[in-house]
Every structure is written in structure tokens, then in C-alpha cells.
Amino acid sequence: MVAMQFQDTVFRVKRKFKMKRRDLLFALGVAIALLPLYPVAASAKELPPIQLPAGFQYPNGIARSKDGTLYVGSILSDRILQIKPNGRIETFFQGNEDIFAVTSLRLDEPRGILWGASPDVLGTPQSNGEILYKPHRIFAIDISSGKVLQVIMMPDGGFGNDLALDSQGGLYVTDTLRPRIHYLPPKATQFQTWVEDERFRTQLRFGLSGIALRADGVLFVTMYSDGRLFKVTPRSMGNPQVEEIELPRRIDGSDGMQLAADGSLIMIEGGIESGNGRLLQLHGLETGNNPQLQILASGMDLPVNLTVAGREVWVTESLFSHRLAPGRETEVPDRFFIRRFLLP
């Protein structure tokens, strides 16, 4: 693919210049200079997908335990599935009136707690034409019993999008509607504003989305509609330092992400504008070099979240795009899947 991109660049330069020898050498020089601007393709191997039970629609939140058990939530349902390593699928949590969606899941295995985000994505249309939204919230479920331990409302009407856990059991939450990252200390019942920055504010529909925590305490957060990426470094004195990471290109619907074992960032590109959902790998964060994007997989219908273990990646492909297209709202797919990939 890199060679094809190189040849395409040369061809385009050839058409612009009359191809004398010196012009050809100049064209080659231009092509070499332009080549790093292209994302590098390094396709992941696709593994057989996991077919979800009939009636379970629009998968989103996903987490994995050390023994290989997957937990999967939905954009529009309070039900959480448990998928065993042998492939057996059961309902782990049937839902209740306090939890109405499961758009992010993170497993605190040492403490036996499954954390999740429950935002009211579509709301409820009213007879007067208005849409009523329930308060967005974060919840915690005991893994052993399935009992709901906590339901915590997002501060100031915020929208809890994605979650990251620290080694002490503290929880970081991105706020899609406010330019904030919240933190819930271990055993606390109320969020703290960990960092607020105007660069997290957006004029588009959705702001902060995916979040990933590095072992040294550095956070990476992305903005869904703007397609930007930030590095947030804690400091012993004062507020955390926020730095924008210059990407090779804007990411179209930047959503869930996690760090791979090699320090690279595995990212979801929803393809909200292009219709081409992708799985990306961002190199450079682990070395301090200029970030370089690799396209691992493409052609997905609005992928939203993922979990990573070793070289394997599980992606929730929501198939939700028809709900956003006027006139296609009722075209519900027959079945839904978890897509599986093996990193190169």
C-alpha cells in the first residue's frame, strides 16, 4: 500500500510537469517529501466474529477479564451480556430503571467491580415535539452477585462518555457536553473535576469521547466530532498539563481507544461522515516521535468501542448509522456482532 501511495504521488506530479530527466528527479523528490502525509496501511488479520443473541441490538460498551470473559453493553438497552471464553453467552445484568444504556464498560477486576456509562443518547420524544433526556449517569455493578453498587449522576448535566481506571480503583470519565475530565476517587460517591480546558469545548455535537490511561498516569483523550487527540499529564503542583497531539489527519468520529502492549494507541474511527468505520493504530506516543497512523481495518458500520488483550482486539460494531439517517430508522439489522482482529 505504501508503494502504491508513492506511485500515485509520482503519477500526479508527472502530469503537472513535462517529464524531462531533471523533471522526473524533481517529481521523485516531491513524492518522497509528500509520502509521510499519508496514513500507513498495515492490515490486521480479521478473526471470526462473535454473533450476539437475537434481540440484542447496537452493541457498544465492552470489557474483558483476565480469563477471557467479555462483558458487552448496548447503546439503547440496559442489558449486559457475558461471553465466556468457550463462546457461551449469558445475560449478566438484566437491567433496571436506573440504567438504560451501556455505552462504556471498564472492569476493576481486583475489586470485583464492573463500571459503566449510561447516557440517554436519543432521549424520549414528547407530544409537543420536544425530546426529554434522562440525566446521564455512571454505574458500578458487583461482578460476583450482579448487584448494582452505585449509580452516580454526571455533574452539571454532563454526558459521561468513556471511562478509564487507575491502579487504585479510581475512575476517570470524559464529559461529552462539558470541556472536562472528571475523577471519582476510590470509595467516593461524588465526582471531582480533574481537569477543565477550553480546548475540550466543541461547536459540534459531541466533544470529549475516548480515554486511555498509561501506567505513568498520563491520559490520552480524543474528541468525537472534532477528531482531535490530547495528552493530559498530571503534575505534583497545579492543574494537569494539556497538550494537543498533532495528528497526520483529522479522525472522522474519534471514539473508543486503548493502549496496546507496545505503547501504541488502538483507536476507533467511527466514519460518521464517510460511512467507512475503521480500526486505527497510532504509533509515536511511546517514542516521542511524530505520530503515524496505520489503518488496521475498514469498512465497518459505525464502530464505537473496543478492548485489547495482547495482540487481539475486540470491536463493537454498532450498526447504528441507519438510526441517524432520516427515513431509515426502522431498517434494523437482523443480527449484531463483535468484530475480532489480530494486530500485525
Side-chain angles (χ1 to χ4, degrees):
M1 179 61 74
V2 174
M4 291 175 62
Q5 291 167 345
F6 180 85
Q7 292 167 0
D8 179 65
T9 306
V10 172
F11 176 74
R12 287 186 288 110
V13 175
K14 274 185 176 181
R15 290 195 304 177
K16 185 174 181 180
F17 296 94
K18 294 179 180 179
M19 294 315 296
K20 296 179 181 178
R21 178 180 173 82
R22 66 177 182 272
D23 294 332
L24 177 59
L25 293 175
F26 178 77
L28 290 172
V30 171
I32 293 171
L34 291 178
L35 186 57
L37 297 178
Y38 289 92
V40 177
S43 297
K45 177 182 179 181
E46 183 160 10
L47 304 174
I50 300 171
Q51 181 172 280
L52 299 176
F56 188 89
Q57 302 174 345
Y58 311 116
N60 194 333
I62 185 168
R64 182 185 182 275
S65 67
K66 290 181 180 178
D67 72 358
T69 299
L70 292 172
Y71 297 88
V72 180
S74 163
I75 297 174
L76 299 181
S77 169
D78 51 5
R79 184 179 168 200
I80 300 176
L81 299 180
Q82 185 181 66
I83 306 174
K84 295 291 188 179
N86 63 7
R88 182 177 178 180
I89 302 178
E90 301 174 342
T91 296
F92 164 72
F93 180 71
Q94 190 63 51
N96 63 24
E97 60 183 13
D98 292 322
I99 300 171
F100 38 79
V102 184
T103 58
S104 180
L105 287 172
R106 291 293 179 265
L107 180 60
D108 184 356
E109 205 158 358
R111 297 160 192 85
I113 299 173
L114 183 67
W115 289 94
S118 187
D120 191 1
V121 177
L122 295 182
T124 304
Q126 305 298 297
S127 58
N128 61 1
E130 294 182 356
I131 298 178
L132 180 66
Y133 292 92
K134 299 175 185 176
H136 306 306
R137 57 202 65 187
I138 303 298
F139 63 86
I141 299 176
D142 181 86
I143 286 295
S144 299
S145 66
K147 178 183 177 182
V148 177
L149 301 174
Q150 290 191 79
V151 175
I152 306 172
M153 302 300 166
M154 286 294 295
D156 302 324
F159 183 127
N161 190 310
D162 204 5
L163 315 172
L165 283 162
D166 65 24
S167 60
Q168 305 303 311
L171 185 73
Y172 294 91
V173 182
T174 53
D175 193 328
T176 291
L177 298 181
R178 314 284 182 199
R180 303 171 183 167
I181 301 170
H182 302 280
Y183 181 67
L184 185 71
K187 300 182 180 179
T189 59
Q190 188 172 358
F191 283 107
Q192 303 171 356
T193 298
W194 188 67
V195 64
E196 183 168 359
D197 193 288
E198 283 302 306
R199 286 170 288 182
F200 296 157
R201 194 179 297 280
T202 181
Q203 300 301 315
L204 303 175
R205 184 174 182 185
F206 295 116
L208 286 171
S209 53
I211 183 170
L213 176 64
R214 204 163 63 184
D216 61 359
V218 171
L219 280 169
F220 297 98
V221 295
T222 187
M223 297 186 67
Y224 188 85
S225 297
D226 295 74
R228 294 185 290 158
L229 179 68
F230 293 88
K231 176 182 178 182
V232 188
T233 305
R235 294 189 285 196
S236 56
M237 299 288 290
N239 295 324
Q241 180 182 10
V242 179
E243 304 169 89
E244 182 168 358
I245 296 172
E246 187 175 347
L247 296 172
R249 64 171 175 84
R250 173 183 171 272
I251 298 176
D252 175 18
S254 187
D255 212 339
M257 59 184 188
Q258 286 196 15
L259 289 159
D262 64 358
S264 64
L265 197 59
I266 309 301
M267 310 176 70
I268 291 292
E269 180 172 27
I272 192 71
E273 295 178 5
S274 69
N276 182 17
R278 292 169 168 169
L279 181 66
L280 307 176
Q281 186 169 23
L282 184 68
H283 287 287
L285 302 178
E286 67 278 22
T287 61
N289 295 330
N290 291 333
Q292 185 179 42
L293 278 174
Q294 293 182 330
I295 299 172
L296 299 175
S298 60
M300 289 184 279
D301 181 354
L302 208 60
V304 282
N305 226 317
L306 78 168
T307 191
V308 180
R311 291 179 57 208
E312 193 165 351
V313 183
W314 293 260
V315 174
T316 47
E317 183 181 19
S318 71
L319 305 184
F320 198 73
S321 62
H322 79 95
R323 296 293 299 258
L324 308 176
R328 295 186 52 214
E329 294 89 347
T330 61
E331 298 176 12
V332 181
D334 293 331
R335 299 300 288 268
F336 293 79
F337 300 85
I338 305 298
R339 303 282 291 272
R340 301 168 56 224
F341 301 94
L342 196 64
L343 296 175

